[in-house]
Amino acid sequence: MAERGIDLGKRGFLKGLLPSDPAVIRPPWSVEETIASACTGCGACISACPQAIIRLDARQRPEIDFSSSECTFCGACAEVCSEPVFDRARPGFQHIALIGDMCFAARGVVCQSCGDACPEAAIRFRPRRGGPALPELAVDQCTGCGACIAACPAAAIGTRPTAAEAAHA
Ligand code: SF4
Ligand code: SF4
Ligand code: SF4
């Protein structure tokens, strides 16, 4: 299902940044509960990640930083962990991309970098009168990999919970 990607909602407009506060993103196939209960903070997943997107948070627990690259779902983090933190039976991430109102295209500047970067072709551009085409996210196709986040020159893309995760919360 495609939906309009730009959130021009009041909250995002007032903040002028991302449309929601970015929550801590845990490595794929891990969740907050297993991080809290089983992670020792050993850092093995950090060393194992070929994309170098895992770092320790303030509590010395692993979190994902999509600012420089994306998750390829290679599985190295889950394989190296000796504790019951990762469960490959879960979905990789509990979030999808969320395009905010800092998007250049929404501000009249042509840009399609996120669409070019997306390995799932989940971002399409709908032509419109009076301005550059706007990105639209096909929510059913987004894996939450973060490639669009790393590629966006406006730092306009964040994440939001998947529908399943939102219903669970
Ligand atoms: S699946 Fe691979 S790329 Fe993704 S966070 Fe784990 S080690 Fe890094
Ligand atoms: S890469 Fe960023 S600025 Fe460019 S169209 Fe996508 S969301 Fe907008
Ligand atoms: S998070 Fe990944 S799959 Fe989703 S829109 Fe961005 S690049 Fe595409």
Side-chain angles (χ1 to χ4, degrees):
M1 174 175 51
E3 69 176 31
R4 187 159 177 210
I6 308 292
D7 182 349
L8 294 173
K10 184 179 179 185
R11 185 161 176 247
F13 175 75
L14 290 174
K15 290 181 70 174
L17 295 169
L18 294 175
S20 62
D21 293 327
V24 172
I25 299 172
R26 298 305 181 187
W29 310 292
S30 72
V31 292
E32 202 61 47
E33 290 79 4
T34 59
I35 292 282
S37 65
C39 175
T40 65
C42 72
C45 55
I46 297 173
S47 304
C49 178
Q51 300 293 99
I53 58 170
I54 308 178
R55 64 185 182 190
L56 289 178
D57 67 12
R59 293 185 296 128
Q60 303 299 298
R61 296 295 178 267
E63 68 174 359
I64 295 288
D65 175 8
F66 284 134
S67 62
S68 62
S69 193
E70 75 273 23
C71 176
T72 62
F73 302 100
C74 70
C77 50
E79 286 169 21
V80 78
C81 182
S82 59
E83 307 297 331
V85 172
F86 296 82
D87 179 354
R88 296 291 295 268
R90 288 192 199 105
F93 289 118
Q94 290 83 42
H95 66 254
I96 57 174
L98 177 61
I99 302 171
D101 60 357
M102 294 294 284
C103 170
F104 284 161
R107 293 168 177 250
V109 178
V110 174
C111 178
Q112 298 195 356
S113 296
C114 52
D116 293 341
C118 179
E120 306 297 330
I123 300 176
R124 295 139 195 179
F125 285 80
R126 181 184 293 264
R128 61 173 173 138
R129 289 187 183 178
L134 290 177
E136 290 183 345
L137 180 71
V139 296
D140 295 345
Q141 290 174 241
C142 178
T143 64
C145 74
C148 55
I149 297 173
C152 176
I157 307 180
T159 61
R160 68 169 184 180
T162 59
E165 181 64 14
H168 177 72

